[in-house]
Amino acid sequence: MDPGNENSATQAAVIVHLDPDFAPQSRPRSCTWPLPRPELASQPSEPPEVEPGLGEKAIESAPEKRLTLAQIYEWMVRTVPYFKDKGDSNSSAGWKNSIRHNLSLHSKFIKVHNEATGKSSWWMLNPEGGKSGKAPRRRAASMDNSSKLLRGRSRAPKKKPAVLPAPPEAATSKSPVGPFAKWSGSPGSRNREEAEVWTTFRPRSSSNASTVSTRLSPMRPESEVLAEEEMAASVSSYAGGVPPTVKEGLELLDGLNLASPHSLLSQSSLSGFSLQHPGLPGPLHTYSTSLFSPAEGSLSAGEGCFSSSQSLEALLTSDTPPPPADVLMTQVDPILSQAPTLLLLGGVPSSSKLATGGGLYPKPPEAPGPSSLVPSLSMLAPPPLMADAPLAKSLGDPMLTPPTDATSQDKMPQDLDLDMYLENLECDMDNIISDLMDGGEGLDFNFEPDP
DNA sequence: TTGAGTAAACATT
DNA sequence: AATGTTTACTCAA
């Protein structure tokens, strides 16, 4: 719930669990808060009952507020006396597994793609606070058979081999027949793009926007980072970072679409954000908390709404890729905004989102709270108001003021398209909204909502 | 019954 | 092999 909620934050904080051999005989099943900070514990001999938020701490301790799994491990070993001697593969399996498990499980943590380094993803704290509990990831809750099947991974049944072998759908997902075949799958059906989309989109990381704005770019050498940040800052205020790769761009896009409200609003506020974040990490934190604090809902998501300006149809058919990547992409990354844009937009990502219902629609502003974490239909709710003008405004900089006419042809994919894009946004939203309004139920978004 | 924690299967990189 | 995700299970509240 309330993201900022102390409680949830605290609870979510528990990401590290001790491995079996480590667990004290009487180790409480659940931790009690607050606990002495393990790292402060002077007696390694006395294993921390449970690391309250070690993972969180680890991440927070990072200047960039993000760490890779390996770094988290490292942090543990280095910082927590108990783990000092548990860094080897033998004794670390358990707790590492737990860490991974928790990172994945708790909405408190969000994963940010880290491609540039070819390394594992960054793990960050969910600016919204996430949930301490299991992430409200798509669940079987309202899952019907089909979705279950779809969702079911082709994973071999475990202890019940007797179960249905492999749902036909599974096969389907693996071998898309048509261009859209893959979309039929739910997040569960993992195929590259989809998986990508989903993982990024996972409710857990409901604040994709934040993620995005926070800078998806992988950690790099300071110098590099600085350079990039500088550039990003100057180039675009709201583009938290420049996606180094297409893939990342994908995620970015995804994030935008999905969390559009946020992203948008982040845009509006981002300008401010970026201003303060050009330097380094520090600000990020601030930004994230304040910006996304649902409580402060003031960020009227209203403004944000369009992110995915494209109507379904447009998305599916358009050969003039309207850069839903929106502003972000458009102005941020020249590289991305080009070919990749096309690819991204016209291709799977956007559509898959549609299919899953994940994207396109911004969350309603009013519910940043608990429900906000859920990729439920609420996301589909039409943005209260659109920011056609506001959009530009929020984006607000010269760059955005599109050239009077982005006359077709060889325009640079970047800025020029924006104009058209914006236009499209408006009507598309209408389309989308109306679609939802009248045919809403018919739509099968396949996303598994909520709590 | 539920949530937390652990183990492990499976998938992906 | 490292990462990530998900499911199954156990146990305490």
Side-chain angles (χ1 to χ4, degrees):
Chain A
M1 330 276 71
D2 309 286
N5 182 319
E6 224 177 299
N7 217 10
S8 62
T10 327
Q11 291 185 346
V14 189
I15 87 156
V16 175
H17 308 114
L18 309 174
D19 76 43
D21 54 317
F22 154 63
Q25 317 67 347
S26 58
R27 181 169 68 79
R29 229 32 193 148
S30 57
C31 54
T32 52
W33 321 87
L35 289 176
R37 299 175 54 177
E39 64 267 43
L40 297 183
S42 50
Q43 296 132 32
S45 54
E46 200 176 282
E49 304 275 88
V50 167
E51 272 72 313
L54 270 188
E56 190 176 10
K57 283 193 172 83
I59 293 171
E60 280 181 344
S61 73
E64 301 253 333
K65 305 297 177 207
R66 64 184 181 186
L67 290 175
T68 61
L69 184 60
Q71 289 172 323
I72 292 174
Y73 292 157
E74 199 183 320
W75 187 90
M76 294 294 175
V77 173
R78 202 183 42 222
T79 312
V80 185
Y82 175 77
F83 292 109
K84 285 237 161 73
D85 58 342
K86 301 223 182 302
D88 59 293
S89 56
N90 286 332
S91 51
S92 64
W95 62 268
K96 285 182 177 177
N97 185 20
S98 284
I99 288 175
R100 292 196 303 274
H101 168 79
N102 284 285
L103 286 172
S104 289
L105 191 64
H106 296 282
S107 58
K108 171 86 180 177
F109 304 100
I110 58 179
K111 188 181 73 174
V112 175
H113 202 91
N114 171 6
E115 171 138 358
T117 56
K119 294 206 124 192
S120 62
S121 304
W122 294 115
W123 285 98
M124 304 177 67
L125 293 178
N126 184 338
E128 281 187 10
K131 292 199 37 183
S132 56
K134 329 274 185 180
R137 40 190 53 171
R138 56 273 178 191
R139 293 180 28 209
S142 60
M143 206 183 284
D144 60 353
N145 285 332
S146 62
S147 53
K148 274 183 185 173
L149 288 175
L150 282 173
R151 185 190 171 205
R153 338 219 285 71
S154 46
R155 171 191 209 158
K158 258 197 182 167
K159 305 192 173 176
K160 295 179 183 176
V163 201
L164 312 172
E169 286 83 343
T172 308
S173 68
K174 290 221 165 182
S175 55
V177 176
F180 308 129
K182 55 180 74 168
W183 300 350
S184 63
S186 68
S189 55
R190 310 227 165 175
N191 76 31
R192 287 333 232 99
E193 300 89 338
E194 224 173 345
E196 189 84 48
V197 169
W198 271 97
T199 51
T200 326
F201 155 77
R202 293 194 322 175
R204 169 157 62 49
S205 41
S206 58
S207 56
N208 283 319
S210 62
T211 297
V212 169
S213 53
T214 312
R215 188 180 340 108
L216 289 173
S217 48
M219 193 179 283
R220 270 150 293 172
E222 287 272 22
S223 56
E224 201 176 334
V225 171
L226 282 174
E228 177 182 310
E229 294 205 345
E230 243 172 303
M231 187 181 103
S234 61
V235 170
S236 121
S237 43
Y238 43 86
V242 179
T245 68
V246 172
K247 203 169 178 186
E248 199 158 321
L250 234 174
E251 281 204 12
L252 250 181
L253 174 54
D254 190 39
L256 283 175
N257 285 337
L258 294 174
S260 51
H262 276 154
S263 54
L264 287 220
L265 63 112
S266 44
Q267 286 181 5
S268 53
S269 32
L270 266 172
S271 48
F273 149 67
S274 63
L275 289 180
Q276 52 177 294
H277 113 292
L280 279 176
L284 282 181
H285 186 60
T286 309
Y287 129 79
S288 56
T289 50
S290 62
L291 249 180
F292 295 93
S293 161
E296 307 297 328
S298 47
L299 286 172
S300 62
E303 357 275 41
C305 320
F306 64 118
S307 62
S308 50
S309 48
Q310 291 288 298
S311 68
L312 178 56
E313 188 178 349
L315 285 174
L316 296 178
T317 61
S318 109
D319 37 7
T320 50
D326 55 274
V327 222
L328 203 138
M329 284 183 88
T330 350
Q331 39 178 284
V332 178
D333 186 273
I335 295 169
L336 251 181
S337 57
Q338 298 186 0
T341 303
L342 231 179
L343 188 152
L344 294 176
L345 298 180
V348 177
S350 50
S351 345
S352 64
K353 266 176 265 159
L354 271 178
T356 56
L360 304 189
Y361 317 96
K363 286 188 295 188
E366 68 274 300
S371 56
S372 69
L373 293 179
V374 180
S376 64
L377 287 177
S378 62
M379 295 182 73
L380 298 178
L385 26 115
M386 197 33 255
D388 31 64
L391 169 56
K393 238 180 187 175
S394 58
L395 296 180
D397 46 9
M399 300 189 62
L400 288 179
T401 47
T404 26
D405 60 34
T407 40
S408 39
Q409 25 78 319
D410 56 324
K411 44 196 166 194
M412 307 282 265
Q414 315 182 353
D415 307 81
L416 298 179
D417 266 350
L418 186 56
D419 197 1
M420 289 173 62
Y421 171 58
L422 290 176
E423 287 181 7
N424 286 339
L425 285 179
E426 297 175 46
C427 54
D428 285 336
M429 275 318 282
D430 285 344
N431 287 339
I432 293 170
I433 292 171
S434 62
D435 277 349
L436 290 175
M437 292 300 216
D438 52 65
E441 326 113 59
L443 298 176
D444 179 7
F445 288 99
N446 265 338
F447 49 179
E448 294 123 6
D450 73 83

